[in-house]
Amino acid sequence: MNPNIETNPLLDRLPKHLQQFIKPQDYSDYTPINQAVWRYVMRKNVDYLSKVAHSSYLDGLKKTGIEIDSIPSMYGMNRILSEIGWAAVAVDGFIPPNAFMEFQAYNVLVIASDIRQLEHIEYTPAPDIIHEGAGHAPIIANPEYAEYLRRFGEIGCKAISSHKDYQMYEAIRLLSILKEAEDTPQEKIDEAEKAVADLQNNMGELSEMAQIRNLHWWTVEYGLIGTIENPKIYGAGLLSSIGESAHCMTDNVKKIPYDISAANQSFDITQLQPQLYVTPTFSYLSLILEEFANKMALRTGGLSGIQKLIQSNALGTIELSTGLQISGVFTNVIEEDHKPVYIQTTGKTALAYREKELVGHGTLTHPHGFGSPIGKLKGFNLAIEDMSPKDLQAYSIVEGEKIKLEFEGNIIVEGEIITGSRNLHGEIILISFKNCTVTHGETILFQPEWGNYDMAIGKKVVSAFSGPADVNSFDLINIVPSTQTIKAKHTAVRDELENLYASVRDIRVNKKSTAELQNIFNKLKENHKNDWLLSVEIAELLKDSSDSLLQEVLAYLEQLKERRPEIAHLVAGGLDLIFDSALPHRH
């Protein structure tokens, strides 16, 4: 683990391929403007969400140690999250969906540690610490919901992707980075939006990963809970967006009872959601998740499971009825009567049993691929895995014997048996041959010159899923995304503004005299004509004083609202938090 990353027993359990995504949260990177943005959003949210969020939200803020006045440090969050059996890690923007879900399966919350710019204070398509820390973390304090999240991760990381899913992930990641970065030329954003739209329109049939990402979006990110007439918010995307949390409660957004059909409802990350799903309870979410998992190749296996893996063109695993697991990139299946009779991987392959690599059957033994018949022997009622030692003897399936095995589907294995491996129940799961030839009709599938032949035993494929059975079998390092998030630039003007924000924060936190505010305000008006948030913070510090500066600041904010109508509601929202409705200048 990185020495700068505060640890927690849960983080020590993470496999190396997940640890590669973790980066230290450099708290000193957060600027005074970042802190002001966090504080504004949190104050607005807590004020508004106390009325419309699920009751777990406010409890969770207390339980997870998330402060309203300062951006949370991972160290503090981990200390408190560990009490509810979770941990948090910082990452750089979007990470691949399988990795994101796998973190959840380990009870680890992934937090993009960047924070949105002031210009995107209401909503950013890029994941940021407001979204993750203020959206996801508090609701985890609800045990029923936390268990849903963990199970979702466990099932979701096994969902099989199509090769287009990864292109889509890279396209969305790039778009979110460009939109959040300052000074991105409009044509670059247009180009990235077009790439996402083109992919969205040409995804073909939705893969399992695409469907489970839809379920994730409509629950974890944008879910409502309760009744259609009186829903409450629990989705992190809504909890962390000042604009959308209010918009979603209006009649402009259609409310639909949550069910499994949400798996086929795609979403546009750059737009306000036109409809939202309402679950009656958190436990109901787990019910739908199980209903979906029952349709996944993870639980159905079979020919369609192998075909999904072939289409994904990525590392995946099939499990046979004996428990033997074959992990690799699946490239071919021979079928008969809608059943697989022979499977083939290409490139590094490993065999495992119960998620543990079989000794002597890692990628060094099978560097070029693996092929094996699946199913029963022709004309036999008894599958090899069901044969007793007596049966095996009777059919000459014993070491040292030369034998010809004819499987259903016209697959013939001919060679001399060297040995067999058994599982915990004593069933044979693998037979090794020398001088072996494997054929399908005229096609040669294996020949003696290639070395010894290992034949998997299993009458059927009971499961197929994404990723390896044993994560230690493959080098899964360096699958980190190719793009990096873009940091804000330093300029003399920006640095001066940051210093003004720092001075105001210092006056508030350390309860210093407000005498310096006039000077700060003058510089702000002179050199930073577009900034609005600092004037709101100055007004807050002066709210109980009879200082004429307060009237000056409020008048300035009124002018600013006219000059920049797009931020008028943000200014009004900030002033609403400060003043009682009795005050006439509130609007």
Side-chain angles (χ1 to χ4, degrees), residues 5-260:
I5 296 169
E6 261 317 310
T7 189
N8 163 318
L10 290 170
L11 300 184
D12 300 335
R13 279 176 41 210
L14 289 173
K16 285 197 175 55
H17 70 278
L18 290 182
Q19 289 184 18
Q20 68 180 325
F21 292 104
I22 302 173
K23 61 169 207 169
Q25 177 198 33
D26 191 344
Y27 200 84
S28 61
D29 277 355
Y30 296 122
T31 68
I33 295 179
N34 293 157
Q35 293 284 7
V37 165
W38 168 271
R39 185 169 176 270
Y40 178 90
V41 173
M42 288 305 290
R43 291 175 77 220
K44 282 295 293 168
N45 276 1
V46 171
D47 178 61
Y48 175 66
L49 292 171
S50 58
K51 308 175 192 80
V52 296
H54 186 262
S55 57
S56 301
Y57 176 76
L58 290 175
D59 291 351
L61 278 177
K62 295 187 197 93
K63 278 187 187 152
T64 46
I66 289 173
E67 290 176 37
I68 288 173
D69 281 339
S70 346
I71 296 170
S73 92
M74 292 288 177
Y75 171 61
M77 276 183 76
N78 266 324
R79 214 179 46 235
I80 297 168
L81 281 172
S82 65
E83 291 172 21
I84 54 173
W86 279 73
V89 293
V91 297
D92 184 46
F94 279 116
I95 64 169
N98 287 72
F100 178 84
M101 305 233 195
E102 201 178 342
F103 270 111
Q104 268 177 219
Y106 282 96
N107 284 31
V108 174
L109 195 61
V110 174
I111 294 189
S113 54
D114 291 340
I115 185 164
R116 65 195 67 178
Q117 295 177 52
L118 178 51
E119 291 307 307
H120 301 155
I121 195 162
E122 283 191 280
Y123 172 79
T124 169
D128 78 335
I129 194 158
I130 293 181
H131 172 81
E132 323 271 7
H136 286 290
I139 213 88
I140 286 190
N142 179 300
E144 188 79 62
Y145 181 73
E147 175 55 14
Y148 169 67
L149 215 52
R150 186 194 67 76
R151 278 292 288 153
F152 200 105
E154 215 166 46
I155 291 166
C157 73
K158 302 285 192 200
I160 301 171
S161 302
S162 73
H163 61 283
K164 284 190 176 170
D165 289 332
Y166 202 81
Q167 294 174 321
M168 182 62 131
Y169 154 68
E170 285 278 11
I172 285 179
R173 180 179 161 86
L174 178 65
L175 174 62
S176 73
I177 289 171
L178 293 176
K179 278 197 137 179
E180 182 52 31
E182 52 191 337
D183 308 329
T184 305
Q186 189 55 43
E187 61 268 23
K188 266 195 149 177
I189 292 180
D190 293 346
E191 205 177 296
E193 279 186 334
K194 185 180 179 316
V196 170
D198 289 350
L199 273 168
Q200 259 169 346
N201 296 331
N202 293 296
M203 289 302 279
E205 197 183 329
L206 291 182
S207 68
E208 289 181 351
M209 179 51 84
Q211 290 183 305
I212 207 155
R213 277 188 62 218
N214 287 343
L215 289 182
H216 194 266
W217 183 263
W218 299 119
T219 61
V220 176
E221 294 295 352
Y222 281 85
L224 298 174
I225 184 166
T227 61
I228 298 286
E229 300 71 41
N230 183 25
K232 298 286 188 206
I233 297 174
Y234 73 91
L238 296 171
L239 291 173
S240 60
S241 161
I242 355 175
E244 199 154 7
S245 57
H247 174 73
C248 79
M249 285 299 172
T250 66
D251 290 341
N252 301 333
V253 178
K254 189 177 172 197
K255 315 295 188 295
I256 305 167
Y258 180 59
D259 63 27
I260 198 160

Side-chain angles (χ1 to χ4, degrees), residues 460-493:
K460 56 179 197 247
V461 175
V462 295
S463 179
F465 55 86
S466 172
D470 183 339
V471 293
N472 300 313
S473 296
F474 293 83
D475 175 15
L476 301 173
I477 307 294
N478 298 327
I479 49 167
V480 173
S482 51
T483 46
Q484 300 288 306
T485 51
I486 300 164
K487 305 295 179 235
K489 299 183 193 68
H490 274 287
T491 61
V493 176

Side-chain angles (χ1 to χ4, degrees), residues 233-389:
I233 297 174
Y234 73 91
L238 296 171
L239 291 173
S240 60
S241 161
I242 355 175
E244 199 154 7
S245 57
H247 174 73
C248 79
M249 285 299 172
T250 66
D251 290 341
N252 301 333
V253 178
K254 189 177 172 197
K255 315 295 188 295
I256 305 167
Y258 180 59
D259 63 27
I260 198 160
S261 67
N264 294 313
Q265 177 62 57
S266 45
F267 55 87
D268 181 345
I269 189 166
T270 61
Q271 303 294 326
L272 291 171
Q273 307 311 312
Q275 83 274 311
L276 293 172
Y277 290 87
V278 185
T279 180
T281 59
F282 285 138
S283 56
Y284 184 73
L285 295 176
S286 297
L287 205 71
I288 299 296
L289 177 62
E290 286 302 315
E291 190 183 334
F292 181 77
N294 285 337
K295 298 181 173 188
M296 284 169 64
L298 174 67
R299 294 191 183 164
T300 60
L303 178 63
S304 67
I306 303 167
Q307 287 166 334
K308 283 179 184 177
L309 284 177
I310 293 171
Q311 285 156 7
S312 78
N313 195 22
L315 176 59
T317 299
I318 65 168
E319 184 174 321
L320 305 182
S321 41
T322 51
L324 180 73
Q325 296 164 317
I326 303 161
S327 299
V329 177
F330 286 81
T331 47
N332 189 28
V333 60
I334 299 171
E335 57 173 289
E336 177 144 304
D337 296 336
H338 305 300
K339 278 199 275 204
V341 291
Y342 195 88
I343 54 95
Q344 178 74 50
T345 65
T346 302
K348 292 180 175 175
T349 304
L351 307 183
Y353 178 72
R354 294 199 164 174
E355 284 73 48
K356 267 273 176 274
E357 188 180 291
L358 290 182
V359 177
H361 288 286
T363 57
L364 293 175
T365 309
H366 306 287
H368 306 302
F370 180 87
S372 177
I374 306 279
K376 292 183 171 179
L377 294 169
K378 203 170 184 174
F380 284 70
N381 278 334
L382 208 54
I384 294 178
E385 68 202 69
D386 299 327
M387 291 181 180
S388 66

